[in-house]
C-alpha cells in the first residue's frame, strides 16, 4: 500500500508541473463531441449520455475517455447499449509531457448489481495501445438489461495502466448514475431535466422481465422495396401504446422509428378498442441506396426480437456505385379477394386535395378492406379502409367494429393545371364504388403528365434442363427511365426487375414468360419472352414390366439415395424410403417448385412428422398417459402409429418397395409417435401413379393389434396429412351446391370457435395455429400460393372432413424449412384390431381453375345416401359415439351396442343435397325400451351446437321386437331440411349419461330409396 501511495503522489506531482502552461489548451467540456464526429451508436429520438468526471486540468491524461448510453430512460428487462470511447488526443509531445506508457490503458466498467450483460465486450477487461494516426480511437460496446428498478450503484468507468491487476490503482474517468422513475420520460420531460440529473439514467418501474416482454411482442414486416418499408408491430401486454422499432440495412442499424400509424386490422385482430396505432411506413433515404440490394431487418427497439417475415431483400436500389447483377426477389403480394365477397361502398368526395369514402364486404363485415385508386384511368395506389365510419357500421348493423372508411391525399405530382378523374374499386376486384368515378375541378400545380412514349420487348432464350435462365426486357422510346417498373409472370413465377434469373423447367418444351413495364401515369406495356428448354432426361426404363392387377405387390432394389420418383410431362412425385416411405416431393413441372414441406432439423436430420403421410389414431386417446411395453412417454398422444416415425426422430421401417415405369409401391409399419422405437400394429401400403396433373394413390391399411378391447368412440385420422411448402398457405373449399362451380370459400378467414374465434388469417407467424376442422360440400381442399393462385388440391371422395393449420412465418423459407402449411383429411374412423381399410387419394396440381376442372373429372362422392352393410366388410364411413359393434368384418349387419344414452350412429361427412331427397330409409331392428328415436343433421359449415339449437331433427317411431323393419323417416317435414347436409345421425330422444345395459341395434342399410328386404 505504501508503494502505491508513493507512485500516485509522484504521478500527480509530475502531471501538475507539466500542465501549468497549458490549462487553456486542455480544457474540454465533458459534453462536447470531438470536432466533426458524433457519438457512436446514437439512436434517433434518444438523448445520449456522455460524461467525464475529471477534466484535463485536474488530470492531464493524453487519452480522453467517454461513456455513452443510447437511452435516457429504460424499463427492467428492456435492452440498452453502453458505448465506451477511448481517444488519443492530438497534442504534440513538445507542448506537454506524458509519462511513458500513458497511451496504453486497461479499463474496467463497473456495472450496477441489478444489471445483466447479454452481449458485447468484456466490461472488466478493456485493453488497448493507442497511437496516431493508425489507432487513435477505440470503441467498446456493452449490451444488457436491468432485472429490477433498484437504483443502487452506477455505471463507473475506471482507468489504469495496461498491466494493471486487481491490486492496481484505478482512476474514475466517467460515470452514469441511476435514478428510479414512475414512468418513462417524455420529450418535454427530457428537455426539463434538472442539471443535477444530466448524468442520470432513469429506471422506469412496473415492467415485466426482458425475456417475458421479448416473447410477447408481435409484428410483421409486410414489404420492403427501394423506396419504402412497412408493416406493423404491437406489444399485446400494452395495446394502448405504440412501440419503437430498430431498422437494420445489411445488418447495420440505420434508424429507430415508431410504429404509430393507424392499422385498424391489427387492432381488430388483438381486440383493441379505441387505439389502432400499430403501423409503420418509412421512406428510405437516398443516401442509403448504393446500387445494391438491401437486406432489410426490423426488430423491436433495443431487443433482438425480429418481426415476422424479417428480413426481406429489396431489388437493386439505384445509387452511385456500379450495380451488380440483380438477384431473384419475390415482390410483395396482395391476397386475392374472398371468393364469396359481397361488396358495398361509396366514393363520398374527390377534389384536388384528396378523396374519401367507404367500402365493406357484407359477408365479412368485421374486417377492413382494401381499395384500388385510379387517377385518369391508371392505378395510383392501394390503401386500407382504416378510418372509423360509425354511420356505415350502424347502417350495416355491425357492432364493435367500424373501420370502413378511407382517405387519400392526392400527391402533388398528379396536379398539373387540369381536372383529375378519380375511380375507386375493391382491391383486385371489378367492384366499383357508387359515385365512382368523380372528376375534380382543374387542379393547379406543376406536376407533369407522362407522354408514355416507350415500348418494351424481350428476346427468346435457349436453356438446358433445370439450368439458370436470364430474361431481360429492352425499353425503347423517349420515356424510358428509372421510373419504369418491370414485373415478370408465367409458369408460376412472379419477379421484379428489368432482368431476372430463374430456373428452367424440368421438361423439354417452349415456355412463355410475360414482362409488364409500368410507368406512373401510363398504361402498362407488355412483351413475351420464350424459353426453349432441351436436354431434359427421360425417366429410365425399369425392369421387369409391371405385374398384372390394379395393385400388385412389387419388389425392386431401392435407389442409392432412397428417394425413388415418378415423372411425366406435368408432375414429379418422390417418396423417401429413409423416412417410412412418405411422399417428400410433389412438383408441378410448369413451376419447378416442390410443394411438400420436407423439413430438415438443425442437426441435418429429417423430421419424421412432416411430408405427406398417413397417421393413424386409436384408443387409448391423448391425455390418457398410455404407453406400451413400459416405454417412457415422450408425447402423451395415445395410440398413434405414424408412417414417418416417432417424436424421438426415429424412422418407421419400410417392409417392402417396388417400382415400374408407371408405379411406385411401398409398405411400412409405423412407429408410435409418442414413444421411442415402439412399433404400432398397422401396416400401410401405398401404390402411386401419375395421370396428367394428378398424383393418384391407393392406400391399404391392415391391422393386427393384440389388444382387442371394444372402445366406444372414434378418433379423427390423417388420411393423409400434407404439410405444404409455406408459400402454399391460402386454403380454399366450396360449401355451396356440389358440382355446380360453387364459389370458393376463403378458409383462412373462417373464425374457429374452439380457439376464441381466431382464424388462420390472424396466424401472424406464430409457432402453430390450428389444426382447425373444415367442412366442404365437395371432397377436396386446396392449398395455393397467393401471388400465383397455383398449388395443389387434396381430393378424398371417401370423406369431406378436412383440417387446416399453419406453422411459423408463412410465405418464406424453402421446402426443407420449419415453416409450413398443413391440410389433411380428418375422417372419423374406428380402427378395428384386425381391420383392413382401402382408400383412393388424389393430389391435383395446377392453377385454381385447372385444378377445379380436373377434380370434376375424378370420381365424385355421393350426394344422396345409399349404404348397404349386409354382405360388406366395412361400415362405409359410419361411426358411433358411446357405442361399439361386432368389429371387422361387418358381415350381414351392423350389430351396435350402445353404452349409454348419449349414443349416436353418424354418417360419413359428405355433401348431401337436401333438395334431391325428402325421406331417409333405414332397415333396422331394435332391442331397446324406447318407442321413438330421433334423426338429426348438420349442414356444411355449421357447428354442432348451432345444429342443436335450430331444431334440425325429426322423430320417428320404432318397433321393439328385435325384428327387422324398414323405417321411412320424413326429413322433408322439417322446415330446416334444406341446403347441403354434411352428416346425419340416429340417437335417443333424451340423451344423458344413463347406462344402457342389454340394449342393441341391428342395421342392414341406410338409403334415400327403399331397398326392400336386403
Amino acid at each position: 500500500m505504501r508503494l502505491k501511495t508513493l507512485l500516485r503522489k509522484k504521478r500527480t506531482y509530475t502531471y501538475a508541473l507539466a500542465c501549468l502552461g497549458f490549462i487553456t489548451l486542455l480544457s474540454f467540456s465533458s459534453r462536447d463531441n470531438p470536432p466533426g464526429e458524433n457519438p457512436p451508436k446514437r439512436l434517433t429520438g434518444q438523448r445520449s449520455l456522455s460524461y467525464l468526471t475529471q477534466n484535463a486540468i485536474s488530470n492531464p491524461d493524453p487519452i480522453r475517455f467517454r461513456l455513452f448510453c443510447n437511452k435516457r430512460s429504460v424499463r427492467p428487462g428492456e435492452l440498452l447499449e453502453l458505448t465506451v470511447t477511448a481517444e488519443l488526443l492530438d497534442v504534440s509531445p513538445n507542448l506537454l509531457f506524458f509519462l511513458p506508457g500513458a497511451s496504453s490503458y486497461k479499463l474496467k466498467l463497473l456495472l450496477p448489481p441489478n444489471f445483466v450483460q447479454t452481449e458485447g465486450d468484456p466490461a472488466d477487461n478493456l485493453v488497448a495501445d493507442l497511437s496516431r494516426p493508425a489507432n487513435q480511437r477505440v470503441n467498446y460496446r456493452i449490451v444488457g438489461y436491468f432485472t429490477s428498478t433498484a437504483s443502487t450503484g452506477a455505471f463507473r468507468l475506471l482507468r489504469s495502466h495496461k498491466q494493471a491487476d486487481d491490486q492496481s490503482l484505478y482512476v474514475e474517468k466517467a460515470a452514469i448514475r441511476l435514478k428510479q422513475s414512475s414512468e418513462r420520460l417524455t420529450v418535454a420531460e427530457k428537455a426539463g431535466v434538472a442539471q443535477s440529473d444530466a448524468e442520470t439514467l432513469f429506471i422506469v418501474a412496473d415492467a415485466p422481465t426482458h425475456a417475458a416482454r421479448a416473447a410477447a411482442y408481435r409484428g410483421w414486416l409486410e414489404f420492403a422495396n427501394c423506396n419504402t418499408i412497412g408493416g406493423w408491430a404491437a406489444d399485446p401486454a400494452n395495446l394502448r401504446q405504440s412501440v419503437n422499432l430498430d431498422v437494420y440495412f445489411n445488418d447495420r442499424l440505420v434508424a429507430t422509428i415508431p410504429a404509430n400509424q393507424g392499422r385498424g386490422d391489427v387492432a381488430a385482430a388483438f381486440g383493441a378498442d379505441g387505439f389502432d396505432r400499430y403501423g409503420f411506413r418509412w421512406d428510405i433515404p437516398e443516401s442509403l441506396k448504393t446500387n445494391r440490394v438491401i437486406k432489410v431487418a426490423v426488430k423491436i427497439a433495443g431487443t433482438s426480437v425480429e418481426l415476422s417475415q424479417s428480413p426481406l431483400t429489396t431489388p437493386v436500389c439505384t445509387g452511385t456505385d456500379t450495380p451488380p447483377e440483380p438477384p431473384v426477389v419475390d415482390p410483395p403480394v396482395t391476397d386475392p379477394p374472398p371468393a364469396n365477397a359481397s361488396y358495398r361502398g361509396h366514393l363520398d368526395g374527390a377534389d384536388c386535395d384528396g378523396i374519401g369514402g367507404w367500402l365493406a364486404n357484407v359477408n365479412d363485415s368485421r374486417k377492413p378492406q382494401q381499395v384500388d385508386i385510379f387517377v385518369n384511368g391508371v392505378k395510383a395506389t392501394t390503401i386500407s379502409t382504416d378510418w372509423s365510419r360509425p354511420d356505415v357500421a350502424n347502417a350495416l348493423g355491425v357492432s364493435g367494429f367500424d373501420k370502413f372508411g378511407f382517405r387519400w391525399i392526392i400527391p402533388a405530382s398528379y396536379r398539373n393545371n387540369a381536372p383529375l378523374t378519380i375511380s375507386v374499386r375493391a382491391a383486385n376486384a371489378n367492384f366499383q364504388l357508387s359515385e365512382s368515378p368523380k372528376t375534380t375541378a382543374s387542379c393547379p400545380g406543376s406536376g407533369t403528365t407522362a407522354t408514355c412514349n416507350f415500348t418494351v420487348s424481350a428476346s427468346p432464350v435457349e436453356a438446358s434442363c433445370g439450368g439458370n435462365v436470364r430474361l431481360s426486357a429492352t425499353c425503347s422510346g423517349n420515356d424510358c427511365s428509372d421510373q419504369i417498373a418491370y414485373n415478370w409472370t408465367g409458369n408460376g413465377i412472379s419477379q421484379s426487375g428489368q432482368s431476372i434469373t430463374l430456373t428452367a423447367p424440368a421438361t423439354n418444351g417452349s415456355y412463355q414468360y410475360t414482362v409488364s413495364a409500368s410507368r406512373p401515369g401510363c398504361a402498362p406495356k407488355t412483351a413475351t419472352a420464350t424459353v426453349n428448354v432441351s436436354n431434359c432426361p427421360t425417366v429410365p426404363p425399369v425392369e421387369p414390366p409391371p405385374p398384372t392387377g390394379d395393385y400388385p405387390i412389387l419388389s425392386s432394389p431401392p435407389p442409392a439415395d432412397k428417394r425413388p420418383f415418378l415423372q411425366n410431362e406435368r408432375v414429379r412425385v418422390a417418396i423417401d424410403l429413409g423416412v417410412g416411405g412418405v411422399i417428400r416431393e410433389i412438383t408441378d413441372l410448369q413451376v419447378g417448385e416442390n410443394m411438400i414441406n420436407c423439413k430438415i432439423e438443425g442437426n441435418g436430420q429429417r423430421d419424421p412428422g412432416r411430408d405427406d403421410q398417413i397417421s393413424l389414431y386409436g384408443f387409448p386417446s391423448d391425455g390418457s398417459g398410455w404407453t406400451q411395453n413400459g416405454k417412457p412417454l415422450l408425447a402423451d398422444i395415445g395410440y398413434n402409429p405414424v408412417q414417418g416415425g416417432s417424436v424421438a426422430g426415429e424412422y418407421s421401417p419400410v417392409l417392402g418397395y417396388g417400382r415400374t415405369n408407371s408405379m411406385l409401391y411401398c409398405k411400412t409399419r409405423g412407429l408410435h409417435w409418442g414413444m421411442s422405437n415402439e412399433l404400432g400394429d398397422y401396416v400401410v401400403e401405398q401404390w402411386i401413379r401419375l395421370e396428367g396433373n394428378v398424383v393418384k394413390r391407393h392406400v391399404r391399411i391392415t391391422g393386427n393389434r393384440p389388444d382387442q378391447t371394444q372402445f366406444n368412440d372414434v378418433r379423427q385420422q390423417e388420411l393423409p396429412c400434407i404439410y405444404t411448402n409455406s408459400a402454399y398457405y391460402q386454403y380454399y373449399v366450396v360449401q355451396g351446391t356440389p358440382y355446380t362451380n360453387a364459389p370458393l370459400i376463403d378458409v383462412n378467414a373462417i373464425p374457429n370457435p374452439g380457439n376464441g374465434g381466431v382464424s388462420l388469417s390472424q396466424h401472424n407467424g406464430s409457432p402453430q395455429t390450428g389444426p382447425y376442422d373444415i367442412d366442404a360440400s365437395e371432397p377436396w381442399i386446396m392449398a395455393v400460393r397467393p401471388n400465383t393462385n397455383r398449388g395443389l388440391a387434396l381430393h378424398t371422395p371417401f370423406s369431406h372432413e378436412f383440417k387446416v393449420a399453419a406453422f411459423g412465418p408463412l410465405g418464406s423459407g424453402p421446402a426443407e424449412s420449419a415453416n409450413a402449411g398443413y391440410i389433411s383429411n380428418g375422417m372419423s374412423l374406428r380402427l378395428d384390431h384386425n381391420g383392413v381399410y382401402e382408400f383412393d387419394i388424389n393430389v391435383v396440381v395446377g392453377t385454381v381453375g385447372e385444378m377445379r376442372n380436373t377434380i370434376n373429372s375424378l370420381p365424385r362422392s355421393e350426394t344422396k345416401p345409399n349404404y348397404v352393410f349386409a354382405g360388406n366388410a366395412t361400415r362405409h364411413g359410419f361411426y358411433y359415439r358411446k357405442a361399439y359393434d361386432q368389429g371387422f368384418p361387418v358381415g350381414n349387419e351392423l350389430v351396435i351396442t350402445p353404452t349409454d344414452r348419449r349414443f349416436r350412429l353418424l354418417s360419413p361427412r359428405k355433401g348431401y343435397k337436401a333438395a334431391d331427397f325428402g325421406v331417409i330409409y333405414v332397415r333396422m331392428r331394435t332391442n331397446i325400451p324406447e318407442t321413438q328415436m330421433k334423426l338429426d343433421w348438420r349442414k356444411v359449415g355449421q357447428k354442432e351446437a348451432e345444429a342443436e339449437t335450430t331444431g334440425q331433427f325429426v322423430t320417428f317411431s320404432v318397433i321393439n321386437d328385435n325384428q327387422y323393419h324398414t323405417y321411412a323417416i320424413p326429413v322433408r317435414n322439417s322446415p330446416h331440411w334444406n341446403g347441403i347436409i354434411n352428416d346425419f345421425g340416429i340417437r335417443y330422444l333424451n340423451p344423458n349419461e344413463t347406462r344402457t345395459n342389454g340394449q342393441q341395434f341391428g342395421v342392414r342399410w341406410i338409403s334415400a330409396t327403399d331397398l326392400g328386404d336386403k
Side-chain angles (χ1 to χ4, degrees):
M1 179 62 73
R2 184 171 181 271
L3 177 60
K4 293 180 185 177
T5 304
L6 291 176
L7 286 175
R8 179 165 54 183
K9 288 180 178 179
K10 179 178 178 181
R11 290 172 184 162
T12 304
Y13 177 70
T14 303
Y15 288 158
L17 289 177
C19 72
L20 287 177
F22 306 101
I23 292 176
T24 304
L25 174 64
L26 296 178
S27 296
F28 294 99
S29 166
S30 66
R31 294 166 187 83
D32 288 341
N33 292 324
E37 298 187 21
N38 290 320
K41 299 287 186 181
R42 178 169 292 183
L43 303 185
T44 304
Q46 295 280 357
R47 177 182 174 187
S48 295
L49 307 177
S50 58
Y51 311 107
L52 289 172
T53 59
Q54 301 178 14
N55 63 28
I57 298 176
S58 62
N59 188 3
D61 196 327
I63 302 175
R64 177 167 58 180
F65 296 96
R66 308 192 66 172
L67 179 59
F68 301 94
C69 179
N70 71 330
K71 297 184 178 179
R72 191 72 176 88
S73 60
V74 67
R75 294 182 184 275
E78 181 180 347
L79 287 181
L80 61 89
E81 182 174 322
L82 298 166
T83 303
V84 176
T85 300
E87 180 185 16
L88 182 61
L89 300 176
D90 192 9
V91 179
S92 171
N94 296 326
L95 298 178
L96 187 61
F97 170 77
F98 297 114
L99 288 175
S103 61
S104 302
Y105 60 82
K106 180 175 183 179
L107 300 178
K108 287 181 180 288
L109 180 62
L110 300 185
L111 306 176
N114 59 332
F115 182 82
V116 176
Q117 183 176 351
T118 59
E119 56 181 292
D121 299 295
D124 61 349
N125 188 28
L126 308 176
V127 180
D129 289 300
L130 302 185
S131 62
R132 290 189 304 270
N135 190 32
Q136 190 170 351
R137 179 176 175 137
V138 177
N139 293 329
Y140 303 97
R141 175 172 169 268
I142 289 88
V143 178
Y145 62 93
F146 287 99
T147 60
S148 68
T149 58
S151 57
T152 57
F155 293 103
R156 300 177 59 207
L157 182 63
L158 307 182
R159 188 245 211 256
S160 189
H161 57 87
K162 184 179 179 181
Q163 285 76 33
D165 57 26
D166 290 341
Q167 301 301 314
S168 300
L169 176 68
Y170 283 78
V171 177
E172 183 176 298
K173 306 301 292 185
I176 299 176
R177 296 194 303 273
L178 307 179
K179 187 174 182 179
Q180 192 175 105
S181 175
S182 60
E183 58 183 275
R184 190 181 293 275
L185 297 181
T186 65
V187 174
E189 288 171 330
K190 289 179 183 178
V193 170
Q195 182 64 30
S196 61
D197 287 334
E199 300 172 357
T200 302
L201 174 65
F202 291 86
I203 305 179
V204 183
D206 299 325
T209 65
H210 166 69
R213 290 186 60 80
Y217 289 114
R218 303 283 292 277
W220 196 277
L221 177 58
E222 294 175 327
F223 67 90
N225 55 45
C226 289
N227 298 316
T228 311
I229 68 171
W232 65 269
D235 179 359
N238 189 6
L239 287 172
R240 302 193 66 80
Q241 179 174 320
S242 300
V243 301
N244 288 332
L245 303 171
D246 287 341
V247 180
Y248 292 81
F249 279 12
N250 298 325
D251 300 318
R252 181 170 65 93
L253 179 66
V254 295
T256 298
I257 62 174
N260 61 359
Q261 299 183 13
R263 284 295 296 262
D265 56 333
V266 178
F270 284 104
D273 293 327
F275 187 87
D276 64 358
R277 300 302 178 183
Y278 308 111
F280 66 91
R281 292 177 68 93
W282 184 63
D283 293 333
I284 299 175
E286 293 298 321
S287 61
L288 297 177
K289 304 174 187 177
T290 56
N291 275 333
R292 291 176 173 81
V293 299
I294 302 173
K295 185 180 76 172
V296 179
V298 180
K299 303 179 182 180
I300 303 298
T303 78
S304 60
V305 180
E306 197 160 356
L307 272 57
S308 295
Q309 200 166 274
S310 171
L312 293 176
T313 303
T314 71
V316 174
C317 297
T318 304
T320 56
D321 294 342
T322 302
E325 292 294 318
V328 176
V329 179
D330 286 338
V333 298
T334 303
D335 289 341
N340 64 338
S342 178
Y343 292 114
R344 293 175 63 184
H346 192 268
L347 178 57
D348 296 338
D351 57 29
C352 293
D353 295 321
I355 69 171
W358 62 272
L359 177 70
N361 175 6
V362 297
N363 287 338
D364 192 3
S365 58
R366 299 184 62 81
K367 180 180 180 181
Q369 304 299 313
Q370 290 186 315
V371 295
D372 289 338
I373 299 173
F374 296 79
V375 179
N376 296 334
V378 177
K379 183 177 174 180
T381 188
T382 300
I383 63 174
S384 296
T385 59
D386 53 9
W387 285 77
S388 294
R389 285 294 298 265
D391 55 329
V392 177
N394 290 336
L396 297 177
V398 177
S399 60
F401 180 84
D402 64 1
K403 299 295 186 182
F404 301 106
F406 64 87
R407 298 181 187 178
W408 183 59
I409 304 300
I410 297 176
S413 59
Y414 286 100
R415 300 194 287 267
N416 59 352
N417 298 314
L420 301 175
T421 299
I422 309 293
S423 59
V424 182
R425 301 176 188 171
N428 296 320
N430 293 323
F431 177 82
Q432 186 156 228
L433 276 61
S434 299
E435 301 294 327
S436 172
K438 287 182 179 289
T439 301
T440 71
S442 180
C443 297
S446 57
T448 58
T449 302
T451 61
C452 304
N453 181 15
F454 72 96
T455 59
V456 65
S457 60
S459 301
V461 177
E462 301 297 321
S464 295
C465 184
N468 289 334
V469 179
R470 186 171 177 79
L471 301 180
S472 297
T474 301
C475 182
S476 304
N478 296 332
D479 289 328
C480 291
S481 69
D482 58 5
Q483 294 186 15
I484 295 180
Y486 299 88
N487 188 61
W488 294 82
T489 57
N491 300 298
I493 67 111
S494 178
Q495 296 185 24
S496 296
Q498 190 168 358
S499 296
I500 64 169
T501 301
L502 54 87
T503 301
T507 304
N508 294 330
S510 296
Y511 299 85
Q512 277 70 47
Y513 297 87
T514 301
V515 59
S516 176
S518 57
R519 188 175 191 269
C522 303
K525 308 292 180 70
T526 61
T528 300
T530 300
V531 176
N532 298 310
V533 180
S534 59
N535 300 321
C536 290
T538 58
V539 178
V542 178
E543 297 295 340
T548 58
D550 290 337
Y551 308 115
I553 306 302
L554 303 179
S555 179
S556 305
D561 67 355
K562 296 185 178 181
R563 297 175 182 178
F565 69 94
L566 291 178
Q567 178 175 317
N568 63 11
E569 72 286 349
R570 181 57 192 277
V571 64
R572 180 169 60 243
V573 59
I575 64 175
D576 196 330
L577 298 176
V579 190
V582 300
I583 293 180
R584 74 175 310 276
E585 178 189 2
I586 296 178
T587 297
D588 183 344
L589 296 178
Q590 289 187 356
V591 179
E593 179 178 45
N594 181 14
M595 293 181 281
I596 302 300
N597 172 251
C598 47
K599 179 184 174 185
I600 297 178
E601 301 282 9
N603 59 5
Q605 299 298 307
R606 292 265 280 112
D607 183 341
R610 294 294 180 97
D611 304 280
D612 174 347
Q613 61 172 302
I614 304 297
S615 181
L616 303 175
Y617 296 84
F619 287 89
S621 187
D622 54 323
S624 63
W626 176 83
T627 184
Q628 187 166 278
N629 293 327
K631 289 289 182 72
L633 192 61
L634 305 180
D636 192 3
I637 198 168
Y639 191 92
N640 177 212
V642 175
Q643 184 182 1
S646 75
V647 71
E650 301 145 341
Y651 305 121
S652 298
V654 173
L655 308 181
Y657 160 74
R659 178 188 163 171
T660 70
N661 286 341
S662 58
M663 181 177 289
L664 288 174
Y665 166 76
C666 183
K667 181 178 181 179
T668 306
R669 183 175 177 183
L671 291 174
H672 277 291
W673 180 254
M675 291 169 276
S676 175
N677 200 30
E678 183 66 23
L679 286 168
D681 306 301
Y682 293 82
V683 170
V684 174
E685 295 174 275
Q686 57 185 8
W687 291 262
I688 301 170
R689 55 191 177 89
L690 303 179
E691 189 174 293
N693 64 329
V694 185
V695 179
K696 294 196 167 186
R697 175 172 26 165
H698 183 79
V699 173
R700 178 183 296 152
I701 301 167
T702 304
N704 185 23
R705 186 178 181 185
D707 184 354
Q708 299 183 21
T709 302
Q710 294 278 31
F711 297 100
N712 68 347
D713 211 338
V714 299
R715 296 178 72 182
Q716 287 182 305
Q717 311 298 320
E718 290 177 301
L719 296 171
C721 57
I722 300 179
Y723 287 82
T724 64
N725 177 329
S726 72
Y728 298 84
Y729 63 86
Q730 176 62 60
Y731 309 129
Y732 293 115
V733 295
V734 293
Q735 295 183 335
T737 304
Y739 307 109
T740 60
N741 202 32
L744 294 174
I745 298 298
D746 180 0
V747 172
N748 300 49
I750 299 176
N752 181 60
N755 193 33
V758 173
S759 68
L760 284 180
S761 62
Q762 299 167 280
H763 171 65
N764 293 330
S766 60
Q768 179 176 344
T769 301
Y772 297 157
D773 291 321
I774 297 296
D775 296 330
S777 57
E778 295 182 21
W780 55 265
I781 183 169
M782 287 181 183
V784 305
R785 189 174 188 140
N787 61 332
T788 63
N789 264 355
R790 300 182 70 105
L792 58 83
L794 171 63
H795 175 260
T796 53
F798 52 87
S799 170
H800 300 198
E801 192 172 356
F802 297 109
K803 302 177 85 69
V804 295
F807 300 83
L810 299 177
S812 62
E816 295 81 6
S817 70
N819 311 332
Y822 169 93
I823 57 175
S824 76
N825 184 287
M827 179 183 186
S828 296
L829 175 71
R830 172 180 169 172
L831 288 181
D832 295 291
H833 72 93
N834 62 339
V836 178
Y837 311 93
E838 305 208 26
F839 304 98
D840 287 309
I841 299 167
N842 302 304
V843 175
V844 185
V845 306
T847 65
V848 170
E850 182 184 15
M851 289 190 287
R852 293 200 71 174
N853 289 337
T854 300
I855 287 169
N856 284 334
S857 69
L858 295 175
R860 301 183 175 188
S861 58
E862 60 274 17
T863 58
K864 295 193 294 185
N866 186 29
Y867 304 105
V868 178
F869 308 109
N872 286 280
T874 70
R875 304 176 183 87
H876 296 297
F878 277 77
Y879 61 99
Y880 321 113
R881 300 291 188 194
K882 303 304 176 185
Y884 58 87
D885 64 17
Q886 73 272 34
F888 178 89
V890 169
N892 197 43
E893 61 177 349
L894 295 178
V895 181
I896 307 169
T897 301
T899 57
D900 67 40
R901 291 185 58 85
R902 293 171 295 176
F903 153 75
R904 297 186 75 182
L905 166 64
L906 288 160
S907 75
R909 295 189 182 182
K910 298 291 180 78
Y912 304 109
K913 297 167 63 175
D916 287 357
F917 61 103
V919 177
I920 294 179
Y921 296 90
V922 180
R923 184 69 173 171
M924 180 171 66
R925 62 177 176 84
T926 59
N927 182 19
I928 59 175
E930 313 291 317
T931 59
Q932 284 193 319
M933 297 195 74
K934 175 193 295 187
L935 187 145
D936 57 5
W937 58 88
R938 186 179 57 82
K939 300 177 184 179
V940 169
Q942 192 177 43
K943 300 303 177 184
E944 214 168 283
E946 181 184 352
E948 291 273 2
T949 57
T950 53
Q952 293 174 189
F953 68 91
V954 295
T955 59
F956 63 99
S957 299
V958 294
I959 303 171
N960 289 307
D961 57 4
N962 206 23
Q963 301 296 313
Y964 270 101
H965 303 275
T966 298
Y967 297 99
I969 305 171
V971 289
R972 63 183 169 220
N973 291 350
S974 169
H976 304 293
W977 182 256
N978 52 53
I980 308 303
I981 309 302
N982 192 227
D983 61 10
F984 59 89
I986 294 175
R987 62 193 305 185
Y988 290 109
L989 282 185
N990 301 303
N992 55 58
E993 297 183 22
T994 303
R995 302 290 295 178
T996 52
N997 298 326
Q999 300 184 27
Q1000 193 180 85
F1001 300 86
V1003 182
R1004 285 187 174 169
W1005 53 259
I1006 299 176
S1007 178
T1009 57
D1010 189 344
L1011 301 180
D1013 295 336
K1014 285 186 179 180

